[in-house]
Amino acid sequence: MIRTAVIMARGLGTRMRRADTAATLDAKQAAVADTGAKGMIPIGRPFLEYLLSALADAGITRVVLVVAPGADPIRHHFTTVAPPHRVQVEFAEQPEPIGTADAVVRAAAVVGHEPFLVLNADNYYPVAAYAALAAETSAGVAAFDRDALVREGNIDAERVRAYAVLDIATDVQSAGLSDVRPDARSAPAKTSLTARLRGIVEKPGESLDLNSPAARWVGMNLWAVTPAIVDACRRVPRSRRGEFELPEAVGLALSEGVEVRVVCMTAPVLDLSQRSDIATVARHLHDVVPRP
C-alpha cells in the first residue's frame, strides 16, 4: 500500500486573509488568518494536526509538507513546537506558489520514485478516503458525492461550482458499493474501487447544472499520484489562471493512456478556505482529539 502523503501547504491563502466582519473568530484565529496560513488556523490545535492524525489512522507513516522557503511557521511548529509521534514529517520547498502540479513536482524530489497521496492543507477528508486510495499503488482520485458534501459538511451547493467535477466511466450505482466508516466519529460512508476516471471539468462555474447527473461526483483534490502523474505534472502547460495545476496534469496523463481509478465516497469533506468556515469547522471537530 501507499505509505507516504504530501500535503500542499504553500498557497497564499488569499481568501483566508480577506476581511469578513460577519465571521466568528477569536483573537488567535484572527491573527493566523491574517497570515493566510490556513493549515495553522487553531481549532483547539492547528488544523494540520487533524490532517496528520487522520492520515496516521489510515496507515500513512510519512508526510511531506510543501511549504515556502525560509522560516515557515509550519516548519517551526512541526519540528520544534509539536513534532508528531505517529508520522514522520519532512518538508519540500516550493519557491513560488505557482500551482498544485508544481507542488507535486517539488514534493516528488523529496519522496523519491514511489506513489504517494496528495491532498490540500485546508480540507479535512474522511479516513476511509485515505485508506481506500492508499490500498493500491496505482494512480487514483477520491470522488465525493455532491449531496453528501452539501448535506453533511460545510459546503453549500454553490461552492461546488468552484471545485472539479469528475467524469466517471463506470455506473457507480451498480458497482457493488460497500458500507465503511470514514472514521470513528462519522456515519457509514459508501466507497467503491471499481470506477475509472474518464475526464475532469475543473472549476466549471455557472455552466454547471448543479442538479444534473454530471455534477454528482466532485473532486476535492485528494489523489494517489504515481511517477507517470508526476511526469505529466512536469510537462503540463500553465492553465488559464497562469498556474501549473494537478487536475490538468492528470487530464494530460489520461489523454496519454494512463488509467486513474476512482474511489467514490458518500461522505463529507470539511473546507477551511475562508474566515466564515472557521466556526463551522470547529463545531464539526469539537469532539476530535488529534494524535499526529
Side-chain angles (χ1 to χ4, degrees):
M1 66 175 288
I2 294 173
R3 295 289 188 181
T4 299
V6 167
I7 301 179
M8 300 180 292
R10 172 62 173 97
L12 294 174
T14 303
R15 285 177 294 172
M16 184 59 74
R17 297 201 314 271
R18 192 175 298 144
D20 184 350
T21 56
T24 303
L25 289 75
D26 62 30
K28 290 181 179 179
Q29 291 169 338
V32 177
D34 287 342
T35 71
K38 294 178 284 189
M40 296 305 293
I41 297 289
I43 310 290
R45 300 293 301 168
F47 186 66
L48 272 171
E49 289 196 13
Y50 293 86
L51 273 62
L52 294 179
S53 182
L55 286 166
D57 288 345
I60 297 299
T61 58
R62 181 190 185 199
V63 176
V64 176
L65 295 167
V66 180
V67 297
D72 187 280
I74 296 174
R75 189 193 302 267
H76 176 68
H77 180 82
F78 289 107
T79 59
T80 305
V81 177
H85 297 290
R86 294 204 293 156
V87 293
Q88 173 189 336
V89 171
E90 300 171 56
F91 300 91
E93 290 189 359
Q94 187 181 22
E96 299 178 78
I98 55 175
T100 51
D102 181 69
V104 167
V105 171
R106 305 287 177 174
V110 175
V111 174
H113 198 73
E114 64 180 67
F116 53 90
L117 301 187
V118 174
L119 57 140
N120 289 339
D122 57 355
N123 289 143
Y124 182 79
Y125 306 92
V127 172
Y130 296 140
L133 274 180
E136 299 183 27
T137 56
S138 56
V141 63
F144 293 91
D145 181 87
R146 169 201 58 213
D147 294 339
L149 288 176
V150 173
R151 182 179 62 248
E152 301 175 36
N154 70 319
I155 295 171
D156 60 46
E158 284 300 315
R159 197 186 291 199
V160 171
R161 299 183 189 277
Y163 303 134
V165 175
L166 304 179
D167 180 7
I168 296 174
T170 301
D171 178 6
V172 294
Q173 296 286 2
S174 60
L177 300 177
S178 58
D179 287 337
V180 299
R181 295 186 67 83
D183 58 39
R185 299 163 295 277
S186 303
K190 294 181 183 236
T191 184
S192 171
L193 291 174
T194 61
R196 178 174 53 84
L197 185 63
R198 185 163 51 195
I200 307 168
V201 180
E202 178 71 359
K203 298 179 175 60
E206 294 301 320
S207 65
L208 179 66
D209 178 359
L210 291 172
N211 296 314
S212 69
R216 177 179 179 187
W217 296 106
V218 181
M220 297 293 294
N221 235 18
L222 176 57
W223 306 87
V225 167
T226 60
I229 301 297
V230 174
D231 178 63
C233 287
R234 293 190 178 100
R235 296 182 289 111
V236 71
R238 288 182 186 264
S239 69
R240 64 178 182 270
R241 298 195 306 158
E243 296 184 355
F244 301 101
E245 303 201 28
L246 177 54
E248 295 199 3
V250 173
L252 173 61
L254 285 172
S255 72
E256 296 173 343
V258 176
E259 288 204 1
V260 179
R261 60 195 165 92
V262 179
V263 173
C264 297
M265 300 292 302
T266 304
V269 174
L270 301 180
D271 188 7
L272 188 66
S273 60
Q274 54 198 20
R275 294 180 184 227
S276 59
D277 296 327
I278 294 175
T280 305
V281 170
R283 286 197 296 273
H284 277 274
L285 296 178
H286 180 265
D287 295 327
V288 179
V289 179
R291 297 184 302 110

